[in-house]
Amino acid sequence: MSDRAALLKGIRGWLVFFVVCLVLSGVTAFPLVHELRWTEELLRSLSVAEYLPGLMEWIERVRQGLDTADADHPFLLYGTDWLAFAHLVIAVAFYGPYRDPVRNIWVIEFGMIACAGIVPLALVCGPIRGIPFWWSVIDMAFGVFGVIPLYAVRRRIKRLEALTPNPAPALAT
């Protein structure tokens, strides 16, 4: 296998991994009410309240809030539907770098900027919305861990670019 083919294979592997994670993150935003009920039941069955009472209290509070919103104001959950949709649309954008990584490196850089933006968003909006700091740290971890595959992809694309002969400039007409 040539260096170029190996780089392309690595780029595509990381991109598939990243897109799968992005899609899963998006799809799980649709059934939040049910997921939180299941999560609370699971945590109770594992006696999590005994070891992490703060986590259990937070899960109960969020579940109650979602139950109330679902029963009294279901239109509020439409916002999480849009959140899910946004994840899916962003995932589609990564098809460009999958097809032509060098030409579409900007999508990777956009993704890295978006991952970096998670940190200030969580630090600013978390306290405004009454989110416990430890939960904001979990949210920030998505940005930190999300940038890792994108950074790996960007490095490989730069190496691939160095191996790619420059195309002839377009003739002016």
Side-chain angles (χ1 to χ4, degrees):
M1 180 181 298
S2 71
D3 288 345
R4 182 172 166 70
L7 282 170
L8 199 53
K9 183 177 179 181
I11 289 166
R12 288 179 172 164
W14 276 111
L15 284 173
V16 166
F17 171 75
F18 185 79
V19 166
V20 166
C21 291
L22 199 54
V23 167
L24 288 174
S25 179
V27 168
T28 59
F30 285 116
L32 280 181
V33 175
H34 302 292
E35 286 174 342
L36 214 43
R37 287 180 191 150
W38 297 330
T39 300
E40 185 178 11
E41 289 172 16
L42 175 65
L43 294 177
R44 284 191 191 293
S45 72
L46 297 173
S47 303
V48 168
E50 194 176 317
Y51 304 102
L52 298 168
L55 173 63
M56 201 66 216
E57 290 169 12
W58 176 246
I59 295 296
E60 288 170 0
R61 181 175 179 214
V62 174
R63 195 253 322 131
Q64 289 170 354
L66 281 173
D67 282 347
T68 300
D70 190 37
D72 300 340
H73 310 288
F75 56 87
L76 291 174
L77 297 176
Y78 189 53
T80 62
D81 296 338
W82 279 104
L83 170 72
F85 178 72
H87 277 77
L88 300 176
V89 168
I90 292 167
V92 170
F94 286 90
Y95 180 64
Y98 186 89
R99 275 189 29 209
D100 187 346
V102 173
R103 183 172 175 200
N104 292 295
I105 193 170
W106 69 270
V107 176
I108 305 304
E109 292 166 343
F110 166 80
M112 293 172 75
I113 292 166
C115 286
I118 292 171
V119 174
L121 179 84
L123 289 173
V124 171
C125 295
I128 291 171
R129 302 290 185 202
I131 306 298
F133 180 72
W134 58 267
W135 194 266
S136 293
V137 170
I138 292 170
D139 289 339
M140 289 184 277
F142 281 95
V144 172
F145 290 116
V147 82
I148 292 170
L150 294 178
Y151 180 72
V153 167
R154 187 179 184 284
R155 285 186 55 215
R156 283 174 170 81
I157 291 173
K158 287 296 188 180
R159 292 198 330 240
L160 181 65
E161 183 179 37
L163 294 175
T164 305
N166 292 333
L171 299 174
T173 55

